[in-house]
Amino acid sequence: MLPPVDLRPPFNITRTSHLRLNVADLAESRDFYTRVLGLVVTEEDESTVYLRGLAEACHHSLVLEKSRDGGTARRIGFRVFFEEDLDEAYRYFRDRGLPAEWVQMPHQGRTLHVSDPVGTPLELCATMETRPRLHINFEQYQGAHAQRLDHFQLLTPDVYELCAFYSALGFRNSEYLEYGDDLVGAFMYRKGTCLDLAMVPGDGPSLHHFAYTVSESHDIFTACDFAGILGYGDQVERGPGRHGPGGMLFAYLRDPDGHRVEVFNSHYQTIDLETEPVRWDAASVSTNARWGLPALEQWYFEASPFNDVPLKSPAVRPAPMTLEKFLSTPQPR
């Protein structure tokens, strides 16, 4: 069912690094991410805010850019290990007829813009300016004390095609979802935990969510509490709950532009090669493991489109058990 993985890929992507979002009101979005999630502002001007988690030394993991296209995503970013990996990546994408161009980005070293086969805009860099980590500066803690950016989840018209592409770049699966003979969910990683990039069927490419880790389970409730205190209570879209795939505690919130962000309490290790990916039967498993209600329909189908990237629909539209369906179905006593 799963595509083969190239364990010696043509260039070395090491981890999820950063992302860039368009927002309509920069001050309001800054307020949400600093006071609800607890991210730290590294630098800002009248059009851009650079943020990072408390445990992050690199200059930014989230870039907010003021735009009339608020609610759209610009790019998701990955780090590569060496500068020469960027050169190999440039050749790799060009040889396959995929977009690849060198760009200058503030606070980063040499940066490459590329797109995967379904059109997801990617940003690759090998270096970034650094700042002191603030994870033991407890006097600066706000909100949920978000520690570090962990992963992205995409909606894509063809999960197998996209999974095969990233498998050829050395991404391995920690877990996956099957429905009959179809791959309907892939949870892939490079950094030795169980996730850097997840993909599920939907109108895409689009950014379903990005996720930050928190140190303690109660920090997840703190995110929800601060959302309520600061007027974003109706933006708590799902949870707190516990995932089936992954097994972590989580909550999902929507920011003022509708971008979805997850806070969760980290992962298990997946470094060793003998670790087998876990198969889940999509017909018999909820995204909740043992407790909690299904997600709202919007959680499955709404996502942030990428700026100026056309959307394609999957051949078969997913039909998950949503909260709306669950509540309208008679339940056994």
Side-chain angles (χ1 to χ4, degrees):
M1 170 57 66
L2 292 173
V5 176
D6 188 344
L7 295 175
R8 292 186 172 87
F11 56 93
N12 187 10
I13 292 175
T14 59
R15 64 175 178 88
T16 295
S17 171
H18 61 282
L19 75 156
R20 301 179 183 275
L21 299 177
N22 289 323
V23 300
D25 187 324
L26 198 59
E28 186 179 12
S29 294
R30 181 193 191 278
D31 186 69
F32 176 87
Y33 284 105
T34 56
R35 300 181 70 193
V36 177
L37 265 68
L39 297 182
V40 177
V41 175
T42 306
E43 201 160 334
E44 61 186 322
D45 57 33
E46 66 280 357
S47 63
T48 310
V49 177
Y50 297 90
L51 302 115
R52 71 187 195 277
L54 291 160
E56 292 179 312
C58 289
H59 183 274
H60 54 268
S61 57
L62 175 61
V63 184
L64 306 176
E65 302 188 43
K66 185 175 181 179
S67 173
R68 288 177 293 181
D69 297 317
T72 62
R74 286 179 176 264
R75 289 185 179 268
I76 61 174
F78 292 105
R79 285 291 291 269
V80 299
F81 202 68
F82 295 114
E83 285 289 331
E84 51 262 40
D85 287 312
L86 292 172
D87 298 308
E88 293 296 336
Y90 179 83
R91 286 189 286 270
Y92 185 89
F93 281 84
R94 281 295 185 97
D95 288 349
R96 284 154 184 78
L98 296 170
E101 64 173 335
W102 299 105
V103 296
Q104 295 291 325
M105 302 303 294
H107 313 293
Q108 296 174 192
R110 203 163 50 122
T111 300
L112 181 62
H113 279 180
V114 295
S115 295
D116 67 24
V118 301
T120 312
L122 311 177
E123 184 168 289
L124 306 179
C125 65
T127 60
M128 187 181 288
E129 293 176 13
T130 60
R131 299 291 187 272
R133 300 183 200 272
L134 300 174
H135 60 297
I136 58 171
N137 291 34
F138 303 112
E139 72 280 5
Q140 297 186 37
Y141 276 26
Q142 295 190 76
H145 317 157
Q147 298 293 305
R148 62 171 176 81
L149 180 66
D150 184 78
H151 66 266
F152 309 118
Q153 180 164 308
L154 300 174
L155 298 187
T156 176
D158 190 328
V159 173
Y160 189 90
E161 176 191 14
L162 201 59
C163 181
F165 177 79
Y166 285 99
S167 295
L169 298 183
F171 283 73
R172 296 159 60 193
N173 280 278
S174 58
E175 311 194 12
Y176 62 103
L177 287 166
E178 284 184 355
Y179 184 74
D181 294 328
D182 294 324
L183 181 66
V184 295
F187 303 89
M188 310 187 78
Y189 64 92
R190 285 293 292 161
K191 65 178 176 288
T193 65
C194 68
L195 198 53
D196 280 287
L197 180 65
M199 53 198 70
V200 294
D203 295 341
S206 53
L207 179 65
H208 182 268
H209 73 267
F210 58 101
Y212 277 88
T213 63
V214 295
S215 298
E216 307 286 347
S217 298
H218 68 76
D219 292 329
I220 297 169
F221 290 92
T222 299
C224 300
D225 284 335
F226 272 89
I229 291 166
L230 297 170
Y232 303 109
D234 59 355
Q235 303 291 83
V236 180
E237 182 185 43
R238 185 181 179 196
R242 184 182 293 280
H243 279 305
M248 57 277 198
L249 294 167
F250 68 85
Y252 291 89
L253 301 91
R254 305 290 284 269
D255 78 2
D257 289 276
H259 299 298
R260 183 181 292 111
V261 58
E262 178 186 15
V263 288
F264 76 103
N265 67 340
S266 200
H267 288 307
Y268 54 82
Q269 282 191 165
T270 53
I271 297 169
D272 303 317
L273 288 178
E274 66 268 24
T275 305
E276 290 292 328
V278 178
R279 176 189 177 276
W280 294 82
D281 182 354
S284 61
V285 67
S286 170
T287 51
N288 295 319
R290 295 179 176 88
W291 51 269
L293 295 172
L296 290 164
E297 182 176 2
Q298 69 183 38
W299 185 87
Y300 291 100
F301 296 109
E302 292 182 6
S304 300
F306 288 100
N307 203 34
D308 297 325
V309 178
L311 296 176
K312 297 179 182 179
S313 299
V316 178
R317 182 176 173 82
M321 174 56 74
T322 65
L323 181 59
E324 292 88 343
K325 287 181 184 178
F326 179 83
L327 294 177
S328 65
T329 303
Q331 302 299 311
R333 293 185 180 275

